Amino acid sequence: MPHLTHSIDDGLATLVLNNPPQNRIGPQLATELSEALESIGRSGARAVLVRAEGPDFSFGGDIVDWPGADVRELRTLFERYMQVFNQLERLPLPVIAAVHGLCFGGGLELALRADVVFAAETARFGHPEQTLGIVTLLGGIYRVAERAGRARAAEWALTSEQVPAAVMADAGVINRVVPDDALLTEATAFARKAAKGPTRAYAAHKALLRAWAVGGISAADEAMFDIAMPLFETEDVTTGLASAVKAFKAGLPRPAIDFQGR
Protein backbone atom coordinates (compact mmCIF):
# COMPACT_ATOMS: atom_id res chain seq x y z
CA MET A 1 0.00 0.00 0.00
CA PRO A 2 1.30 3.49 -0.80
CA HIS A 3 2.28 5.72 2.09
CA LEU A 4 1.78 8.83 -0.05
CA THR A 5 -0.54 9.48 -2.96
CA HIS A 6 -0.81 12.40 -5.32
CA SER A 7 -3.27 13.74 -7.83
CA ILE A 8 -3.57 16.79 -10.08
CA ASP A 9 -6.87 18.52 -10.78
CA ASP A 10 -7.32 21.82 -12.60
CA GLY A 11 -3.78 22.97 -11.90
CA LEU A 12 -3.73 21.93 -8.24
CA ALA A 13 -1.51 19.03 -7.19
CA THR A 14 -2.49 17.32 -3.95
CA LEU A 15 -0.05 15.26 -1.88
CA VAL A 16 -1.66 13.03 0.73
CA LEU A 17 0.17 11.29 3.57
CA ASN A 18 -1.63 7.98 3.50
CA ASN A 19 -0.23 5.69 6.19
CA PRO A 20 -2.53 6.35 9.16
CA PRO A 21 -2.91 6.48 12.04
CA GLN A 22 0.54 8.03 12.56
CA ASN A 23 1.70 8.72 8.99
CA ARG A 24 5.28 7.95 9.96
CA ILE A 25 8.04 9.11 7.61
CA GLY A 26 10.12 6.25 6.28
CA PRO A 27 12.03 5.22 3.14
CA GLN A 28 8.87 4.27 1.27
CA LEU A 29 7.23 7.64 1.85
CA ALA A 30 10.44 9.45 0.83
CA THR A 31 10.59 7.50 -2.42
CA GLU A 32 6.91 8.10 -3.16
CA LEU A 33 7.26 11.81 -2.35
CA SER A 34 10.24 12.13 -4.68
CA GLU A 35 8.37 10.37 -7.48
CA ALA A 36 5.32 12.55 -6.90
CA LEU A 37 7.39 15.75 -7.03
CA GLU A 38 9.02 14.65 -10.28
CA SER A 39 5.56 13.99 -11.71
CA ILE A 40 4.35 17.39 -10.56
CA GLY A 41 7.40 19.02 -12.12
CA ARG A 42 6.51 17.49 -15.50
CA SER A 43 2.86 18.46 -15.22
CA GLY A 44 0.90 21.66 -15.62
CA ALA A 45 0.35 21.98 -11.87
CA ARG A 46 0.56 25.54 -10.57
CA ALA A 47 0.13 24.98 -6.82
CA VAL A 48 0.50 22.12 -4.33
CA LEU A 49 -1.62 21.14 -1.33
CA VAL A 50 -0.15 18.80 1.30
CA ARG A 51 -2.56 17.03 3.64
CA ALA A 52 -2.93 13.75 5.53
CA GLU A 53 -5.39 10.95 6.04
CA GLY A 54 -6.27 9.66 9.50
CA PRO A 55 -6.53 11.37 12.88
CA ASP A 56 -3.09 13.02 12.78
CA PHE A 57 -0.90 14.76 10.22
CA SER A 58 2.29 12.90 11.16
CA PHE A 59 4.15 11.68 14.24
CA GLY A 60 7.49 12.09 12.42
CA GLY A 61 10.18 9.57 11.57
CA ASP A 62 9.66 5.83 11.61
CA ILE A 63 12.22 5.07 14.32
CA VAL A 64 11.68 1.30 14.60
CA ASP A 65 14.79 0.32 12.61
CA TRP A 66 17.07 3.07 13.89
CA PRO A 67 18.51 1.28 16.97
CA GLY A 68 20.16 -1.46 14.93
CA ALA A 69 21.39 0.76 12.12
CA ASP A 70 24.98 1.83 11.52
CA VAL A 71 25.61 5.57 11.80
CA ARG A 72 26.61 5.67 8.13
CA GLU A 73 23.33 4.01 7.18
CA LEU A 74 21.41 6.51 9.26
CA ARG A 75 23.23 9.44 7.71
CA THR A 76 22.41 8.14 4.22
CA LEU A 77 18.77 7.76 5.25
CA PHE A 78 18.47 11.24 6.75
CA GLU A 79 20.29 12.87 3.85
CA ARG A 80 17.75 11.23 1.55
CA TYR A 81 14.88 12.63 3.62
CA MET A 82 16.49 16.09 3.65
CA GLN A 83 16.98 16.05 -0.12
CA VAL A 84 13.37 15.11 -0.80
CA PHE A 85 11.92 17.56 1.73
CA ASN A 86 14.04 20.35 0.23
CA GLN A 87 12.84 19.33 -3.22
CA LEU A 88 9.32 20.11 -2.02
CA GLU A 89 10.42 23.38 -0.40
CA ARG A 90 12.13 24.56 -3.59
CA LEU A 91 9.32 23.81 -6.00
CA PRO A 92 8.73 26.92 -8.12
CA LEU A 93 5.08 26.73 -7.07
CA PRO A 94 3.09 27.83 -4.03
CA VAL A 95 2.95 24.97 -1.50
CA ILE A 96 0.14 24.96 1.06
CA ALA A 97 -0.06 22.53 4.00
CA ALA A 98 -3.27 21.58 5.82
CA VAL A 99 -2.37 20.24 9.27
CA HIS A 100 -4.69 18.50 11.70
CA GLY A 101 -4.20 16.44 14.84
CA LEU A 102 -0.60 15.92 15.94
CA CYS A 103 2.26 17.22 13.82
CA PHE A 104 5.56 16.15 15.36
CA GLY A 105 9.23 15.75 14.46
CA GLY A 106 9.69 15.03 10.78
CA GLY A 107 6.01 15.73 10.22
CA LEU A 108 6.51 19.28 11.47
CA GLU A 109 9.68 19.56 9.39
CA LEU A 110 7.66 18.51 6.33
CA ALA A 111 4.92 21.05 7.06
CA LEU A 112 7.55 23.77 7.44
CA ARG A 113 8.55 23.23 3.81
CA ALA A 114 5.21 24.76 2.81
CA ASP A 115 4.91 28.44 1.97
CA VAL A 116 1.57 28.72 3.76
CA VAL A 117 0.41 26.48 6.62
CA PHE A 118 -3.25 26.13 7.60
CA ALA A 119 -3.96 24.33 10.87
CA ALA A 120 -7.05 23.01 12.55
CA GLU A 121 -7.88 24.59 15.92
CA THR A 122 -7.09 21.37 17.77
CA ALA A 123 -3.79 20.71 15.96
CA ARG A 124 -0.65 20.39 18.08
CA PHE A 125 2.96 20.83 16.96
CA GLY A 126 6.23 19.75 18.53
CA HIS A 127 9.81 18.55 18.41
CA PRO A 128 9.98 15.20 20.27
CA GLU A 129 13.63 14.69 19.34
CA GLN A 130 15.02 15.69 22.74
CA THR A 131 13.19 12.74 24.30
CA LEU A 132 15.47 10.54 22.13
CA GLY A 133 18.62 12.55 22.80
CA ILE A 134 18.88 13.76 19.19
CA VAL A 135 18.27 16.98 17.29
CA THR A 136 15.72 18.06 14.70
CA LEU A 137 17.45 16.17 11.91
CA LEU A 138 15.61 17.67 8.95
CA GLY A 139 16.13 21.32 9.77
CA GLY A 140 13.20 21.91 12.09
CA ILE A 141 14.81 24.08 14.76
CA TYR A 142 16.27 26.66 12.42
CA ARG A 143 13.23 26.75 10.17
CA VAL A 144 11.16 27.55 13.26
CA ALA A 145 13.79 30.14 14.24
CA GLU A 146 13.50 31.76 10.81
CA ARG A 147 9.79 32.25 11.40
CA ALA A 148 9.46 32.72 15.17
CA GLY A 149 12.92 33.76 16.34
CA ARG A 150 15.72 31.97 18.16
CA ALA A 151 14.18 32.11 21.64
CA ARG A 152 10.98 30.28 20.69
CA ALA A 153 12.83 27.76 18.55
CA ALA A 154 15.22 26.91 21.38
CA GLU A 155 12.45 26.61 23.96
CA TRP A 156 10.33 24.27 21.88
CA ALA A 157 13.27 22.09 20.85
CA LEU A 158 14.51 21.81 24.44
CA THR A 159 11.15 20.92 25.95
CA SER A 160 9.35 18.85 23.29
CA GLU A 161 6.27 20.84 24.31
CA GLN A 162 3.07 20.16 22.38
CA VAL A 163 2.37 23.63 21.05
CA PRO A 164 -1.24 24.55 20.19
CA ALA A 165 -1.99 25.82 16.71
CA ALA A 166 -3.02 29.25 18.03
CA VAL A 167 0.37 29.71 19.73
CA MET A 168 2.19 28.69 16.56
CA ALA A 169 0.15 31.20 14.59
CA ASP A 170 0.82 33.99 17.09
CA ALA A 171 4.55 33.23 16.81
CA GLY A 172 4.43 33.35 13.01
CA VAL A 173 5.31 29.71 12.43
CA ILE A 174 2.01 28.94 10.73
CA ASN A 175 -0.35 31.21 8.84
CA ARG A 176 -3.97 30.45 9.68
CA VAL A 177 -5.94 28.55 12.31
CA VAL A 178 -9.41 27.46 11.25
CA PRO A 179 -12.18 25.31 12.75
CA ASP A 180 -11.39 21.61 12.46
CA ASP A 181 -14.31 20.92 10.15
CA ALA A 182 -13.31 23.79 7.83
CA LEU A 183 -9.61 22.94 7.48
CA LEU A 184 -9.66 21.07 4.21
CA THR A 185 -12.24 23.38 2.63
CA GLU A 186 -10.34 26.57 3.46
CA ALA A 187 -6.88 25.23 2.66
CA THR A 188 -8.09 23.82 -0.65
CA ALA A 189 -9.83 27.07 -1.58
CA PHE A 190 -6.62 29.01 -0.88
CA ALA A 191 -4.56 26.52 -2.88
CA ARG A 192 -6.97 26.63 -5.83
CA LYS A 193 -6.80 30.43 -5.83
CA ALA A 194 -3.00 30.25 -5.84
CA ALA A 195 -3.16 27.80 -8.74
CA LYS A 196 -4.91 30.48 -10.80
CA GLY A 197 -2.36 33.17 -9.99
CA PRO A 198 0.84 34.43 -11.67
CA THR A 199 2.87 31.25 -11.19
CA ARG A 200 6.15 32.68 -12.44
CA ALA A 201 5.88 35.62 -10.00
CA TYR A 202 5.20 33.23 -7.12
CA ALA A 203 8.35 31.31 -8.03
CA ALA A 204 10.31 34.58 -8.10
CA HIS A 205 9.05 35.54 -4.65
CA LYS A 206 10.15 32.16 -3.30
CA ALA A 207 13.60 32.62 -4.83
CA LEU A 208 13.91 36.08 -3.26
CA LEU A 209 12.94 34.73 0.14
CA ARG A 210 15.58 32.00 -0.19
CA ALA A 211 18.19 34.63 -1.02
CA TRP A 212 17.12 36.66 2.00
CA ALA A 213 17.21 33.59 4.28
CA VAL A 214 20.79 32.85 3.26
CA GLY A 215 22.27 36.33 3.12
CA GLY A 216 19.78 38.84 4.47
CA ILE A 217 18.46 41.95 2.75
CA SER A 218 21.71 42.77 0.95
CA ALA A 219 21.80 39.32 -0.66
CA ALA A 220 18.17 39.59 -1.74
CA ASP A 221 18.80 43.07 -3.15
CA GLU A 222 21.75 41.68 -5.09
CA ALA A 223 19.59 38.91 -6.56
CA MET A 224 16.50 41.04 -7.14
CA PHE A 225 16.81 42.06 -10.76
CA ASP A 226 18.25 38.80 -12.03
CA ILE A 227 15.15 37.14 -10.59
CA ALA A 228 12.57 39.84 -11.26
CA MET A 229 13.31 41.22 -14.73
CA PRO A 230 12.58 38.03 -16.73
CA LEU A 231 8.99 38.33 -15.49
CA PHE A 232 8.47 41.28 -17.85
CA GLU A 233 8.88 38.87 -20.75
CA THR A 234 6.10 36.55 -19.55
CA GLU A 235 2.63 36.32 -21.01
CA ASP A 236 1.08 37.01 -17.61
CA VAL A 237 2.90 40.32 -17.13
CA THR A 238 2.26 41.42 -20.72
CA THR A 239 -1.45 40.82 -20.22
CA GLY A 240 -1.58 42.21 -16.71
CA LEU A 241 0.27 45.44 -17.42
CA ALA A 242 -1.73 46.18 -20.57
CA SER A 243 -4.99 45.58 -18.72
CA ALA A 244 -3.96 47.76 -15.78
CA VAL A 245 -2.87 50.66 -18.01
CA LYS A 246 -6.06 50.44 -20.06
CA ALA A 247 -8.17 50.58 -16.89
CA PHE A 248 -6.12 53.49 -15.51
CA LYS A 249 -6.57 55.56 -18.67
CA ALA A 250 -10.31 54.87 -18.66
CA GLY A 251 -10.64 55.75 -14.97
CA LEU A 252 -11.89 52.25 -14.18
CA PRO A 253 -10.95 49.76 -11.45
CA ARG A 254 -8.20 47.37 -12.37
CA PRO A 255 -9.84 44.14 -13.61
CA ALA A 256 -9.03 40.68 -12.36
CA ILE A 257 -6.67 38.84 -14.69
CA ASP A 258 -7.03 35.27 -15.82
CA PHE A 259 -3.37 34.39 -15.38
CA GLN A 260 -2.03 31.42 -17.34
CA GLY A 261 1.18 30.78 -15.43
CA ARG A 262 3.27 31.60 -18.49
Side-chain angles (χ1 to χ4, degrees), residues 28-230:
Q28 180 178 334
L29 184 141
T31 296
E32 290 168 350
L33 176 56
S34 180
E35 291 172 351
L37 293 175
E38 290 172 6
S39 177
I40 290 168
R42 295 190 300 267
S43 75
R46 294 169 57 193
V48 178
L49 175 67
V50 182
R51 66 176 185 85
E53 293 289 350
D56 297 298
F57 184 79
S58 175
F59 275 41
D62 187 354
I63 66 173
V64 172
D65 293 330
W66 294 5
D70 181 90
V71 169
R72 290 174 296 180
E73 295 173 332
L74 289 172
R75 176 166 182 155
T76 299
L77 178 68
F78 300 145
E79 285 181 342
R80 171 62 171 158
Y81 293 168
M82 180 76 86
Q83 182 270 324
V84 176
F85 279 27
N86 287 351
Q87 187 180 354
L88 172 64
E89 186 174 51
R90 294 168 185 168
L91 276 178
L93 305 171
V95 178
I96 296 88
V99 176
H100 69 282
L102 300 179
C103 182
F104 291 162
L108 172 54
E109 290 169 309
L110 178 63
L112 289 171
R113 262 56 177 199
D115 302 299
V116 177
V117 181
F118 281 71
E121 286 178 332
T122 59
R124 296 289 186 274
F125 299 80
H127 298 299
E129 287 85 358
Q130 69 87 26
T131 65
L132 302 174
I134 60 175
V135 301
T136 57
L137 291 161
L138 303 182
I141 187 170
Y142 45 83
R143 280 177 172 81
V144 170
E146 182 184 23
R147 299 179 183 212
R150 180 171 177 167
R152 286 296 187 104
E155 176 186 349
W156 291 336
L158 290 171
T159 63
S160 293
E161 175 186 352
Q162 292 190 18
V163 185
V167 175
M168 295 290 270
D170 288 344
V173 179
I174 66 174
N175 298 80
R176 301 191 187 184
V177 180
V178 300
D180 287 26
D181 59 3
L183 173 65
L184 191 54
T185 299
E186 295 201 22
T188 301
F190 186 96
R192 288 202 177 280
K193 183 176 180 179
K196 299 297 184 182
T199 310
R200 295 278 296 276
Y202 292 157
H205 274 130
K206 292 183 68 164
L208 287 168
L209 284 171
R210 284 197 300 274
W212 166 79
V214 171
I217 289 176
S218 62
D221 282 349
E222 186 68 24
M224 170 60 78
F225 298 114
D226 287 338
I227 292 172
M229 298 314 296

Side-chain angles (χ1 to χ4, degrees), residues 223-242:
M224 170 60 78
F225 298 114
D226 287 338
I227 292 172
M229 298 314 296
L231 294 173
F232 286 88
E233 298 176 330
T234 64
E235 179 181 322
D236 281 347
V237 171
T238 299
T239 302
L241 277 176

